[in-house]
Amino acid sequence: MQCRPGCGACCTAPSISSPIPGMPKGKPAGVRCIQLADDARCLIFGHPERPAVCSGLQPSAEMCAGSTHEAMAFLTRLEDLTRPAA
């Protein structure tokens, strides 16, 4: 499956705990990645600096759904369900 142009939900909804160029402490859930271009394409796609979690995340019909709004809702719920207990 190909990414939906202009979406970027997978670069916004989840938290990333590993360093990202420009975000050395990673990013919290719901914050747009600094490496997400205005056209919602990853500026470091294919580069070794790209976090492994990003490289491992593959688009799927379930995750991407029918719209960016639906993808954000799915990924936000997944983030909530997998958040470590405080």
Side-chain angles (χ1 to χ4, degrees):
M1 180 173 173
Q2 295 291 326
C3 289
R4 183 179 30 263
C7 181
C10 61
C11 302
T12 305
S15 61
I16 299 175
S17 58
S18 55
I20 303 165
M23 300 178 104
K25 295 182 180 183
K27 68 169 224 54
V31 172
R32 185 180 172 95
C33 179
I34 197 167
Q35 296 299 330
L36 188 61
D38 290 342
D39 66 356
R41 293 187 184 268
C42 179
L43 296 170
I44 56 173
F45 186 86
H47 293 231
E49 307 86 8
R50 188 173 181 221
V53 68
C54 300
S55 299
L57 186 63
Q58 298 297 310
S60 69
E62 182 182 38
M63 177 177 73
C64 299
S67 69
T68 300
H69 177 76
E70 290 174 2
M72 283 292 295
F74 177 86
L75 289 164
T76 298
R77 178 156 168 69
L78 187 61
E79 177 73 23
D80 290 343
L81 291 170
T82 59
R83 183 175 294 123

